[in-house]
Amino acid sequence: MSIAVTGCAQQKEHSPVKWPEADAPIATVKPYQRIIHGDTVVDNYYWLNDYFKQGPDSGEVVKYLEAENAYTNAMMKGTEALQEKLFNEMKSRIKEKDESVPYLKNGYYYYSRTEEGEQYYKFCRKKGSLDAPEEVLLDVDAMAKGKPYFAANGFSVSPDNKLLAFGVDEVSRREYIIHIKNLETGEILPDRIMRTSGSATWAADNRTIFYTSKNPITLLSEKIKRHTLGTAEGQDVVVYDEKDNTNYIGVGKSKNGKYIFIQSQSTMSAEVRYLKADDPNGEFQVFQPRMKDVLYSVVPLEDRFLIVTNADNAQNFKVVETPLDKTGKENWKNFIPHRQDVLVQDIDEFKDFLVVSERKNGLTNLSIRQLKDNVVHDLDFGEAAYTVYPSINAEYDTDVVRYGYTSMVTPSSTFDYNMHSREKTLLKQQEVLGGYDAEKYVTERAFATATDGTKVPISLVYKKGTKKDGSAPLYLYAYGSYGSSMEPTFSSSRLSLLDRGFIYAIAHIRGGEEMGRQWYEDGKLMKKKNTFTDFIDCGQYLIDQKYTSKGHLYAEGGSAGGLLMGAVINMAPDMWNGVIAAVPFVDVVNTMLDETIPLTTNEYDEWGNPNNKDAYDYMKSYSPYENIEAKEYPNLLVTTGLHDSQVQYFEPAKWVAKLRATKKGNNVVLLKTDMDFGHGGASGRFDYLKDQALEWAFILKLEGITQ
């Protein structure tokens, strides 16, 4: 490898990447016209939608996806040994025989444990003491045997501790069947509840559960139903039917066990219904009718309700209180007032304390408030970039809050904190096998200046000794949608990049909520392009500050972050040497026009409704699929899942087909479709590492690193 001197920095020059000789698939062109708002667009690859519609081209769709997989395998030939090495080293850092920190609920300690060589886990409990005999509630390892995909979730034990409700998905469409297990006899009851979100909420009678039912076509959470044990399939009672298809709905129980809540929420408004848990056949009451642009959630205390809300222009949210028998907004009084510099994210209630999850200056914080005298204190953590969050706190009458803590150099840690004595106890830290030493790595926090002058935080981690002279390869990750904050957390698999000289960075771009609610508002709807320009500006900052250089800068994003990848390679194609777009949302206009696609109507408040011309025009101006041009694009690896219910497989498939037919130059475009899985990839705890190894090998090949 030769070295070229540029200014004061020494920058490695790449030898041209040698790819195997292989013919890329060329998708058949079948013109389809989209006409709306007087605008006619010809979509040559619309036919790739046909698999789930069972149209005339559904068989051809599968053949095309399989041809793309074969091409990707051919192009990555020669990296098999590297992929195997990466998989083995990432797997070797994971403690195979392990156990979660037990938590106490209703007289039992619950935990999960993993066995050596097994992909899944066992969900267990012990009565009264950790020295008591173990009771295996579900052996998920055994349940998943022989299945390409298996997910079990929503574990919910009845108040008398005798029954367990749980959801199972064997397709990876996030459409679960709820089963009930008798924990005394081990019998799985005949009750089978189809097409659910997976979780169930028990009423106080130990015979009634409430659950969220999904539409079989759109997979939208559509109804809340009541099931009484022994009721025949299809006979459950609808207790709530959501008429607004832009809302998500769910059902749950308060920590004190007294109330069952139904939450209906869109991006911009919410409505809560509640019912006494000991009155399962009663009528749910509206807590406060939905109000335009007002979000709220409810937590009951012994003597009042607390509400987290953005009502009355409290953009960063505040906490109000109201009597148990007067829940309307006219009775709400400030409990924790709105603050311009602090975002209230959530509250965790205890009998004598309140734990408030907050965010200030891009960092998370836990604020402890004693309810009796309103004395407040914050926890202190002392790192430049970190993440802290409440862990499982199932008990209501306790002085101890459990929380999780991690940073880009600190493995995930679980603490118990006594809110009276203010003493914290480390219960467990993720064990990284192979001798991980945090002192060998450095984490930093930097701020890039965006095009409009906004300061955008960046979290970085690298191995000590890595030169910041422009020669280091840098892997830049971001998401930037739905108000989801990308936290600076630890990853043991990331060490495989850091130990090979990479710097890893997270760009906390607008569209997330890292810097408060306005940060989200400034990266959605008609301001969505801020998300993309922020990411490009972060990349340019890292080049300017000589963390890396153009030939060594790589990017990744998934789902809505895949939209980000599609947009930035259209806007600044020469900035990135390689890009990974995982399950990317890249055909924005067509998806948002199709109300039969899961999630479309729920997302109008995020992206806009393209049936409105202004939204259509703006969306079309950035949608990656719509804006492909005859120019050189960076090397690209695109991943998807045939059964993906969040971002349908045809979006990345169409995008790749059009890119390959349009782009210039010799950079590669690879598409890897998992024919068995969906949005989250493989379900086993090791299988996903094979996908990670492929991604790392793709980037390392581009960087000229062969082992």
Side-chain angles (χ1 to χ4, degrees), residues 267-268 315 511-512 516-525 527:
T267 306
M268 298 301 295
Q315 186 178 54
R517 185 72 177 180
Q518 190 63 47
W519 203 248
Y520 170 44
E521 299 291 343
D522 286 344
K524 59 183 278 205
L525 294 172
K527 297 181 179 179

Side-chain angles (χ1 to χ4, degrees), residues 104-177:
L104 181 64
K105 184 174 183 181
N106 199 20
Y108 283 82
Y109 286 93
Y110 290 89
Y111 59 97
S112 61
R113 59 178 176 83
T114 53
E115 297 286 353
E116 195 164 336
E118 296 286 1
Q119 288 270 18
Y120 295 88
Y121 58 93
K122 292 162 178 58
F123 179 51
C124 310
R125 72 178 181 183
K126 294 180 179 180
K127 185 175 182 179
S129 165
L130 292 175
D131 296 324
E134 179 181 83
E135 188 181 344
V136 179
L137 305 185
L138 285 181
D139 185 342
V140 183
D141 290 310
M143 296 164 69
K145 284 280 188 254
K147 297 178 172 65
Y149 180 90
F150 189 85
N153 80 354
F155 303 158
S156 179
V157 177
S158 59
D160 63 4
N161 295 315
K162 294 179 180 180
L163 299 169
L164 170 68
F166 62 97
V168 169
D169 173 15
E170 296 184 20
V171 183
S172 189
R173 293 280 286 172
R174 300 188 184 183
E175 192 177 20
Y176 292 82
I177 301 171

Side-chain angles (χ1 to χ4, degrees), residues 665-690:
N666 297 318
N667 287 343
V668 298
V669 179
L670 306 180
L671 173 65
K672 172 73 162 57
T673 303
D674 200 307
M675 306 302 282
D676 292 319
F677 307 141
H679 198 65
S683 54
R685 64 182 174 129
F686 302 128
D687 281 346
Y688 80 95
L689 293 175
K690 295 175 183 176

